[in-house]
Amino acid sequence: MHDLRISVTDRCNFRCTYCMPREIYGRDFAFLPRSEVLTFEEIERLARIFVAEGVEKLRITGGEPLVRRNVPDLIAMLVRIRRPDGGPLDLTLTTNGSALRRLAEPLRAAGLGRVTVSLDSLDDATFRAMNGVDFPVADVLDGIAAAREAGFGPLKINMVVRRGINESSVVPMARWARSEGHILRFIEYMDVGHSNGWRLDEVVPADEIVAMIDAELGLEALPPNYPGEVADRWRYADGGGELGVIASVSQPFCSTCTRARLSAEGKLYTCLFAQDGTDLRGPLRAGDSDADLTAAIQAVWRIRADRYSELRSEATTRLPKVEMFAMGG
Ligand code: SAM
């Protein structure tokens, strides 16, 4: 266990068609009531226990993490946690970028180390259609600029590629990220949850993404930074930076997975495609000791045998999997 993703909310201000389609997650959708969401103190306590068990990297996510109030306060609490060897954590946050103009500076001041911004196209019409709420791409670009001004960098940019929807944005995004010095990560469209109507023919495989960019800009493969890194890394042959491709559908990486996920309601998941998790909030609120909570986490981790992406088939894509915004993306 190397990496813990902590979801701080199941709510989001976007309705990306591939994640929280507007037709399903409309005005009357019941998100978690506040009492069921872990408090910052509860998140910090669990994070300390996970770190004592070997986690070195915390990623704050959601839903959209920046729609939760006072997230910089949580960052300030988490940044104080030290690994058993005394070293600092790698503390990072994934966001749609819409609130970075307001929050990049306080997040940096609180001690956040890195930021990943999700951005599926530079084309305004394509981006507005994909985010489901007609959000202008210029405002995300302004958020990215704000992150940079606040001292974050290099930034990581996540782009989900969906056939027929934003494939034509792949090369322009690569050119832009390269000129700006951002690290771009292309993500194969995944069958997370069960409400996005996923179809295999909408996945643009990693090989095809790499070939598109290689043909225009020239790429060379790079070795992983560490075992279990999710992205296959490539660099521009002329030395102009790097990019990555997360091929969870066409080249599953279950066997090297070191990630655990803690949902906003305090459930522990070992797989993004899980159908259920283990409740840690109940024992936490019932007064369990750190040793009890450690034992509960170990019991889950030691017997984990999930490898959904390796078993994916027509039948598995229809399973009632937990939605990504609910688990934490
Ligand atoms: N709201 C934040 C954001 O936009 O980055 C954090 C949560 S979001 C669920 C995390 C990442 O998951 C985003 O980059 C998003 O594009 C990606 N994602 C959501 N649904 C996906 C899907 N079906 N396939 C691939 N990636 C997906």
Side-chain angles (χ1 to χ4, degrees), residues 18 61-64 94-96 118 158 160 189-190 192 196 324:
Y18 53 80
T61 182
E64 169 49 43
T94 302
T95 173
N96 61 29
S118 302
N158 276 352
V160 176
Y189 174 41
M190 299 182 286
V192 286
N196 61 7
M324 194 163 178

Side-chain angles (χ1 to χ4, degrees), residues 7-307:
S7 171
V8 295
T9 180
D10 60 339
R11 291 164 201 257
C12 189
N13 56 333
F14 281 14
R15 286 293 176 274
C16 298
T17 47
Y18 53 80
C19 186
M20 292 179 84
R22 201 175 37 195
E23 311 75 67
I24 301 177
Y25 303 102
R27 271 183 197 288
D28 46 4
F29 182 78
F31 289 98
L32 289 172
R34 198 183 174 142
S35 61
E36 290 186 19
V37 174
L38 294 183
T39 64
F40 287 173
E41 288 71 22
E42 288 170 332
I43 291 174
E44 183 200 22
R45 180 155 170 229
L46 288 174
R48 277 187 194 281
I49 294 171
F50 277 97
V51 171
E53 287 305 291
V55 163
E56 297 177 344
K57 175 172 165 185
L58 297 180
R59 179 176 295 281
I60 306 303
T61 182
E64 169 49 43
L66 300 185
V67 302
R68 180 155 177 184
R69 281 215 205 152
N70 304 327
V71 171
D73 294 349
L74 174 66
I75 299 297
M77 291 161 79
L78 297 177
V79 94
R80 288 196 291 266
I81 302 177
R82 286 284 173 273
R83 303 188 317 226
D85 67 3
L89 296 175
D90 180 8
L91 189 54
T92 170
L93 176 140
T94 302
T95 173
N96 61 29
S98 60
L100 279 176
R101 173 51 65 193
R102 184 167 51 86
L103 287 170
E105 180 64 46
L107 287 166
R108 186 71 182 172
L112 183 65
R114 299 189 293 127
V115 174
T116 299
V117 180
S118 302
L119 176 61
D120 296 328
S121 182
L122 293 170
D123 177 70
D124 194 47
T126 307
F127 183 67
R128 285 177 189 256
M130 284 184 85
N131 66 48
V133 293
D134 207 27
F135 197 87
V137 73
D139 290 9
V140 176
L141 295 176
D142 183 53
I144 290 172
R148 219 189 226 160
E149 287 157 27
F152 291 106
L155 295 176
K156 267 194 199 160
I157 309 288
N158 276 352
M159 171 178 174
V160 176
V161 187
R162 208 171 163 187
R163 187 165 315 276
I165 308 282
N166 66 337
E167 280 166 280
S168 59
S169 301
V170 165
V171 174
M173 281 284 288
R175 283 190 198 283
W176 166 76
R178 178 179 141 105
S179 69
E180 294 289 319
H182 303 316
I183 300 173
L184 183 56
R185 295 278 187 254
F186 294 98
I187 308 179
E188 287 181 347
Y189 174 41
M190 299 182 286
D191 52 331
V192 286
H194 55 280
S195 60
N196 61 7
W198 183 88
R199 294 199 329 251
L200 184 59
D201 61 9
E202 287 182 313
V203 178
V204 182
D207 288 350
E208 204 178 314
I209 296 171
V210 169
M212 277 190 250
I213 301 165
D214 184 37
E216 300 257 343
L217 301 167
L219 291 176
E220 289 169 356
L222 278 172
N225 279 318
Y226 56 87
E229 189 176 31
V230 293
D232 287 333
R233 295 163 61 231
W234 298 81
R235 77 167 162 227
Y236 292 103
D238 66 2
E242 70 164 81
L243 60 81
V245 190
I246 302 179
S248 129
V249 178
S250 68
Q251 297 157 43
F253 38 80
C254 304
S255 63
T256 55
C257 176
T258 55
R259 279 168 298 286
R261 294 166 192 271
L262 181 65
S263 73
E265 60 181 331
K267 280 192 175 180
L268 171 61
Y269 294 92
T270 54
C271 179
L272 181 55
F273 301 93
Q275 294 173 59
D276 203 3
T278 302
D279 177 39
L280 295 179
R281 187 189 66 202
L284 185 74
R285 292 189 180 172
D288 274 21
S289 66
D290 283 4
D292 294 335
L293 291 165
T294 304
I297 293 165
Q298 287 176 346
V300 171
W301 191 260
R302 288 195 174 147
I303 59 155
R304 72 170 292 196
D306 44 77
R307 52 189 193 100

